[in-house]
Amino acid sequence: MPTVSLLDADALEKLLSRYDVGHLRDHRPASHGIENSNYFVTTSRDGVLSGWVLTVLEQPSNAGSSYVPLLDLCHEACLPVAPVIRNVGGDAVEWIEGKKAMLAPMLPGAHVDNPSANQLKSLGGFIGNFHRATRAPGFEVPAYPRDARWLRDRETEVRRRMPAADARLVSGAVERVVELLGGDEVAELPSGLVHGDLFRDNVLFDGPRLTGVIDFHHAARGYHVYDVAVAVNDWCSDPGGVLDRARAAALIDAYHRVRPLNHVETDLFAGFLLYAALTFWLSRLTVALKRDGNPASRFKDPDEFRDIVIDRNGKSVRLDFLDRPGRVQR
């Protein structure tokens, strides 16, 4: 389990002195953040206040050395993504309390728990634009790590410590997804950069307008349809994990207008919903089982994704609403 960093004003002042951002006025821990520690920081220079987010890395990013250039690429493409600020020496990564840290501008907006149809359309449009803007990044990006082998390893790790019904559910779902990923059609799926963690707590809105996407530490090279499936599972499920088809249609249709889904993606979409749900159920279970009885450990409820896996397991999800006269498929 990562250790949560607790920083005082003196440590932050020392860090900020290596940036051209002014002097510390205020700071507070962010309420979100499971894998890393985040702080909201306010600085003052010539009477002008500026807001920043300081991320202290408690564990390595999936994106590795591509993390900073990826954020730069998104910012240059005018996507609502904050770039990493360089210090006075031109370095993107600093050190605080013996850990790597990065500073980025604070983006406007707030998280939403109950998204409207317009917010779902904004999110779908963002994902499409993100996939298009990063399809030829010009730098190496690691492959998405949660592949068939990862699924098998996590299943072995957790199933002996689960109730029998959950263990059967995990094993059956892993078999289905491993079969899906080994199929010949998967080779025809468009791939490129994926965010990998497009949850509600990583997206900011001002009314219907999407104003920021954060936390690219799960970014990697993977299937675009997987990224869409991750978002649909979190944004378009009811409290019991059942898919809300109207919400899913709003998000997917908006994505499709920017980056049209091909016929293989639409045919395999139900399987990728299960794949995306299963990866987050297994990852949350792994973290929860490793907490060693420490009630202060930070982790998200695995049962949320158990319910989604139950709903997606064996369910057919048709995307007929995409097949309209005049719509372009590729």
Side-chain angles (χ1 to χ4, degrees):
M1 291 291 296
T3 302
V4 180
S5 291
L6 298 175
L7 304 179
D8 59 23
D10 289 340
L12 285 170
E13 281 277 21
K14 185 176 180 180
L15 173 71
L16 293 173
S17 70
R18 300 193 288 272
Y19 289 89
D20 185 22
V21 297
H23 299 286
L24 179 67
R25 285 289 300 271
D26 190 22
H27 73 281
R28 59 186 173 89
S31 57
H32 299 285
I34 298 298
E35 295 165 341
N36 297 306
S37 299
N38 296 295
Y39 283 81
F40 297 132
V41 177
T42 303
T43 61
S44 175
R45 183 168 58 181
D46 299 328
V48 178
L49 299 181
S50 299
W52 312 90
V53 176
L54 176 68
T55 299
V56 181
L57 301 180
E58 311 289 354
Q59 59 186 34
S61 166
N62 282 349
S65 61
S66 66
Y67 180 80
V68 173
L70 169 57
L71 296 184
D72 289 342
L73 178 61
C74 291
H75 183 66
E76 291 163 5
C78 297
L79 295 174
V81 174
V84 175
I85 299 298
R86 273 59 170 180
N87 64 15
V88 292
D91 299 319
V93 179
E94 262 290 353
W95 292 84
I96 187 168
E97 302 288 326
K99 297 179 180 180
K100 291 182 178 180
M102 298 181 188
L103 189 68
M106 185 181 296
L107 296 170
H111 303 294
V112 297
D113 291 324
N114 186 25
S116 67
N118 285 334
Q119 288 169 332
L120 291 167
K121 291 175 183 178
S122 294
L123 176 62
F126 167 83
I127 303 172
N129 282 314
F130 167 65
H131 288 167
R132 291 187 62 183
T134 61
R135 58 189 169 191
F139 48 84
E140 290 296 322
V141 182
Y144 189 68
R146 296 179 180 180
D147 55 10
R149 181 175 179 177
W150 182 93
L151 292 171
R152 293 284 196 202
D153 289 345
R154 297 292 84 73
E155 176 197 5
T156 300
E157 189 173 351
V158 304
R159 70 185 309 272
R160 288 187 297 239
R161 302 175 65 182
M162 303 171 67
D166 285 353
R168 288 193 296 271
L169 177 62
V170 162
S171 294
V174 167
E175 289 301 324
R176 284 196 63 206
V177 173
V178 168
E179 182 180 1
L180 167 74
L181 296 178
D184 293 338
E185 285 186 307
V186 168
E188 300 179 47
L189 291 172
S191 62
L193 280 166
V194 298
H195 181 283
D197 198 24
L198 283 164
F199 281 49
R200 283 166 288 176
D201 57 4
N202 286 330
V203 183
L204 301 167
F205 282 92
D206 180 5
R209 186 170 66 93
L210 192 155
T211 55
V213 173
I214 61 175
D215 196 352
F216 282 75
H217 293 285
H218 284 266
R221 176 170 41 85
Y223 300 116
H224 285 156
V225 67
Y226 175 84
D227 227 11
V228 180
V230 170
V232 167
N233 279 339
D234 185 63
W235 292 77
C236 307
S237 298
D238 71 15
V242 177
L243 182 67
D244 185 318
R245 293 174 184 267
R247 290 189 172 194
L251 191 159
I252 297 167
D253 182 72
Y255 177 89
H256 185 69
R257 291 177 183 273
V258 177
R259 208 286 292 175
L261 296 156
N262 67 24
H263 74 281
V264 179
E265 291 174 298
T266 59
D267 289 346
L268 299 184
F269 191 72
F272 271 83
L273 284 175
L274 177 61
Y275 174 27
L278 181 61
T279 60
F280 283 96
W281 187 25
L282 287 171
S283 65
R284 289 186 178 187
L285 278 170
T286 302
V287 172
L289 292 173
K290 287 181 177 178
R291 61 180 174 158
D292 296 326
N294 179 6
S297 297
R298 297 178 299 174
F299 69 96
K300 293 184 178 180
D301 183 8
D303 289 349
E304 293 178 7
F305 271 94
R306 179 194 61 193
D307 294 341
I308 296 176
V309 168
I310 290 171
D311 182 71
R312 308 299 189 265
N313 197 27
K315 174 174 283 189
S316 173
V317 179
R318 299 183 62 83
L319 304 183
D320 293 341
F321 59 87
L322 297 180
D323 301 325
R324 302 173 185 162
R327 299 302 292 276
V328 178
Q329 294 278 335
R330 70 181 176 104

